[in-house]
Every structure is written in structure tokens, then in C-alpha cells.
Amino acid sequence: MSEPGYNRFLGVLRLVALFAVVVALVYFARPTILSVAIGFVFVVLGESVRFLSSGLLLKTKELMTAGPYRYTRNPLYLGRFLILTGVIIMVNLPNYMSLVALVIGWAWFLGVYMRRKERVEPARLRNEHGEAYDRYFAAVPALFPTLTPYKDFTPAAWSVERMKRNREYWMVIGLLGVSAYLLWQALQS
């Protein structure tokens, strides 16, 4: 994470805030077998997109336009959006608070997180990759996938080394742990 302009303190602060939100959601959770099952579908879909994407990506160094990057410029963020949705469904907060949490979570994700990412990342990638990135940016949506794949893609093979470099295995471990705990909690009630 030695990117120019990267503020390590803010990065750590964001990570701590994320963990605090997850802990609060799990603490107040009232999961049912149905809520865990439905939410887990979103989590698996989101993590599948992230896992596939992380095994292709060499951040900033290459302009990745293959695989899920043919349909969305940010499949890792699409995966996060799906995981956010799934976890909130799984926790099944009381008194319709899951619906409130979902609306707040989506609003934050789309209104704050994605706006920040779309302000910072395209400029960095445009600087690094020039006209090739401009063509890609114009043709492929930021988050929600298009049905028409990007035609001018560069073929790439999925790599365990890239997935490990992007540390996606930690996300898999964390999601399995949270999902198993919520299922255990649902089975106790």
C-alpha cells in the first residue's frame, strides 16, 4: 500500500470502523435459518466475484480488462456491495432494523465509498495507462455490470499468486467465520 497519496492512518481507521460495524451487527443479530440461508447466497456470490477478480488483478501496474473486469470496472467493489447486502440479511436485526441498516449501508456505499473511489482511482489509472484506460472507462460501468462485455480486453489467467498478493483469503476466512457463527446462533433459537 505504498501508493502515492495513500494515507495509512485513514486506511487503518476505515478498517477499524468496518470491524466495529460488523461486531455491532453480529452482537445485535437475531438470525434465523432462513435469513442466514438467503444472506449467505449474496455473500457467496459477492465473494465469488471478489475471489475471481483478486486472482486477476495486479493493482495499478496492469490495466485489467479480462474476466469480471469486462463487465464492471470495479468487480471487487461489486463483491463488497453483495457481501454487505448478504451480511445485513443474515443478521436479521429486530424491529425492521435490518431494512434500515440495508438502506443506510447502501446509501453509504454508493454515496460515500463509491464516490470517493471514483474520484481517486480513475485519475490514478488514467495517469498510469492513458488512452487505453479512457476507452475502458467510457465503455464499462463503475459498479453494476453491463450485459455487453468489453470487446477490447486483454486476456489474462487467474493466478493464486495474485489472489494471495491481494490477500483475498482473509476475506474468505472472515466471511466463513461470521457466517458459521450466525448459523450457529440461528440453530440455538
Side-chain angles (χ1 to χ4, degrees):
M1 296 207 183
S2 58
E3 300 170 17
Y6 179 78
N7 185 322
R8 184 174 288 281
F9 175 75
L10 287 178
V12 169
L13 189 60
R14 282 190 288 268
L15 193 58
V16 168
L18 173 65
F19 282 123
V21 168
V22 170
V23 167
L25 285 172
V26 170
Y27 179 79
F28 292 108
R30 300 296 176 262
T32 65
I33 292 173
L34 183 61
S35 73
V36 172
I38 292 169
F40 193 68
V41 169
F42 283 91
V43 169
V44 168
L45 182 59
E47 185 49 37
S48 296
V49 170
R50 286 186 56 83
F51 198 79
L52 177 59
S53 303
S54 71
L56 293 170
L57 185 63
L58 186 57
K59 292 181 182 176
T60 305
K61 305 289 185 219
E62 294 177 356
L63 177 57
M64 180 48 59
T65 59
Y69 294 91
R70 291 183 70 192
Y71 301 90
T72 172
R73 292 193 319 268
N74 297 298
L76 291 169
Y77 304 150
L78 173 62
R80 283 183 184 162
F81 184 79
L82 292 168
I83 291 166
L84 166 74
T85 301
V87 168
I88 292 173
I89 291 170
M90 282 197 299
V91 297
N92 192 40
L93 298 171
N95 301 322
Y96 301 104
M97 288 307 293
S98 281
L99 183 58
V100 171
L102 202 54
V103 169
I104 291 170
W106 285 350
W108 174 83
F109 192 92
L110 297 171
V112 177
Y113 183 77
M114 282 305 298
R115 285 181 65 191
R116 179 185 168 276
K117 292 295 185 181
E118 279 296 290
R119 189 178 66 248
V120 173
E121 288 185 6
R124 184 179 68 239
L125 291 168
R126 186 170 287 114
N127 186 48
E128 184 76 23
H129 303 291
E131 187 181 321
Y133 182 74
D134 287 337
R135 284 192 310 273
Y136 178 66
F137 183 89
V140 180
L143 184 64
F144 297 111
T146 180
L147 297 177
T148 308
Y150 185 60
K151 304 274 189 252
D152 192 23
F153 73 100
T154 304
W158 191 87
S159 161
V160 170
E161 294 308 314
R162 287 186 180 200
M163 182 276 300
K164 286 170 38 180
R165 181 181 178 143
N166 290 312
R167 299 185 296 263
E168 192 59 30
Y169 53 87
W170 286 116
M171 182 71 104
V172 172
I173 292 167
L175 290 171
L176 286 174
V178 167
S179 299
Y181 176 77
L182 291 171
L183 178 60
W184 175 79
Q185 212 177 17
L187 292 170
Q188 299 304 308
S189 46

